[in-house]
Amino acid sequence: MPTSSCQRRQLLGLSLAALLPTTQAAGLPPALRLPDAQTFSAHGSFFIAVLKLALAKTADGAPAPVLTHAAADLPRERLRQMLQDGQLDLLWSTTTPEREALALPVRFNLLKGMNELRFLLVRAADLPALRQLRTLDALRRLRAGAGTFWSDTQILRANGFAVETTIKFESLFRMLKAGRFDFIPRTREEIDAELQQHAGSGLAEMPGVALQYRQPLYFFVARQQPRLAERLRRGLALAAADGSFDALFMAEPALKAALARMRGYTGQRLQLRELEAVKR
């Protein structure tokens, strides 16, 4: 009887598994399924490098798993659903209580806190009035704009801000210009790039004040892979202890510069309460 294509794939899978016993013995499948590094987030290549570092620290002589990537055009929420369904093995993300309920967080802040300050992207025409606002109570009279699924959205609402949301990122800038809301909270890196991208379109940074809130970015592992989560915890702890994580972080010019600018910021920092997931 001829072998079907399905049977051939099954036989091939069994053959490959037989060739990779040491990787599985180390607690990992022979391949790890990830988001596309370049489109899922900024600094995707850095997060992949950190993943490889953590795995290398705990390899115990086993070969590294092959890293495969999802299609580049999949939206983030689809990728989170794939992680929940076991179709991805891990991704990297800021944390929320909902995300921690659906996947296994590896509680090691991959950004070293460089994203804790949020600078306010506003309409340039509003700057004369906005310069007078220097307290949280005053800023709460403004409406914020954010992505529907951003962790920033939850943080701002938990701190008493009205937030207008949209699924489409580029819509935020059009909505801000149209007066649908008054500001978009952005990291130092983001606001610098966006002011350059939208030069001459009437946008500006609100000077002298920033919102501050902890927003750790973790690896999140599929619940079907607890051994992978534990191995990453061990590997990241080892990399932090021996300085190799810091060396990798500081070798990224954009990350190094953003961390220095965040730590050296001399404007007013308005502290927001963090989400419950962040306190753990």
Side-chain angles (χ1 to χ4, degrees):
M1 173 183 274
T3 304
S4 69
S5 60
C6 179
Q7 288 171 321
R8 285 196 296 271
R9 287 195 298 270
Q10 290 173 339
L11 290 171
L12 178 59
L14 290 172
S15 300
L16 288 173
L19 291 173
L20 295 161
T22 52
T23 304
Q24 292 177 319
L28 301 184
L32 294 179
R33 300 160 297 174
L34 318 173
D36 179 78
Q38 303 308 316
T39 59
F40 181 65
S41 71
H43 308 299
S45 297
F46 167 72
F47 298 127
I48 295 295
V50 174
L51 172 65
K52 291 178 178 178
L53 176 65
L55 292 174
K57 292 290 181 185
T58 53
D60 298 324
V66 176
L67 303 183
T68 65
H69 300 275
D73 58 351
L74 292 177
R76 289 186 183 183
E77 289 310 303
R78 171 61 183 145
L79 290 164
R80 295 188 201 283
Q81 186 63 50
M82 290 172 67
L83 183 70
Q84 183 182 351
D85 295 342
Q87 298 171 356
L88 284 184
D89 295 303
L90 77 144
L91 52 74
W92 47 93
S93 171
T94 54
T95 192
T96 68
E98 292 79 10
R99 292 171 190 173
E100 294 200 8
L102 299 176
L104 302 174
V106 179
R107 292 193 178 92
F108 181 98
N109 192 354
L110 300 171
L111 286 180
K112 291 174 65 70
M114 61 150 275
N115 60 337
E116 288 186 3
L117 285 183
R118 285 296 188 273
F119 303 90
L120 307 186
L121 186 66
V122 300
R123 292 177 293 275
D126 293 343
L127 285 177
L130 294 176
R131 291 181 193 278
Q132 313 304 315
L133 306 182
R134 287 295 181 267
T135 67
L136 278 178
D137 284 341
L139 287 180
R140 286 189 184 103
R141 297 199 295 268
L142 305 178
R143 291 184 64 83
T148 302
F149 302 109
W150 291 7
S151 52
D152 304 74
T153 301
Q154 291 192 33
I155 293 169
L156 289 167
R157 285 175 172 163
N159 281 271
F161 284 87
V163 185
E164 184 89 12
T165 64
T166 178
I167 293 176
K168 296 182 178 179
F169 172 69
E170 285 302 324
S171 297
L172 286 169
F173 304 99
R174 293 192 295 271
M175 293 165 72
L176 176 60
K177 295 172 192 175
R180 294 276 299 277
F181 46 77
D182 303 299
F183 71 87
I184 308 172
R186 307 304 283 150
T187 67
R188 182 73 268 161
E189 267 190 302
E190 291 166 342
I191 198 168
D192 287 346
E194 289 156 6
L195 284 173
Q196 184 174 6
Q197 180 184 355
H198 295 274
S201 62
L203 299 182
E205 177 184 344
M206 183 172 172
V209 66
L211 300 177
Q212 183 162 15
Y213 45 87
R214 288 186 63 221
Q215 193 181 40
L217 190 145
Y218 299 149
F219 284 128
F220 281 83
V221 177
R223 288 198 166 274
Q224 299 88 336
Q225 297 281 5
R227 295 173 72 183
L228 172 58
E230 181 54 34
R231 185 167 162 184
L232 290 178
R233 289 188 191 98
R234 290 192 296 113
L236 291 169
L238 290 169
D242 67 15
S244 55
F245 173 77
D246 280 352
L248 188 62
F249 187 98
M250 293 301 180
E252 292 283 326
L255 293 176
K256 180 180 179 180
L259 183 64
R261 294 184 70 181
M262 189 276 290
R263 290 176 172 173
Y265 179 66
T266 58
Q268 190 168 358
R269 301 173 183 232
L270 301 179
Q271 186 72 48
L272 272 61
R273 297 190 312 276
E274 59 201 26
L275 297 176
E276 286 299 319
V278 178
K279 297 178 183 178
R280 299 173 189 168

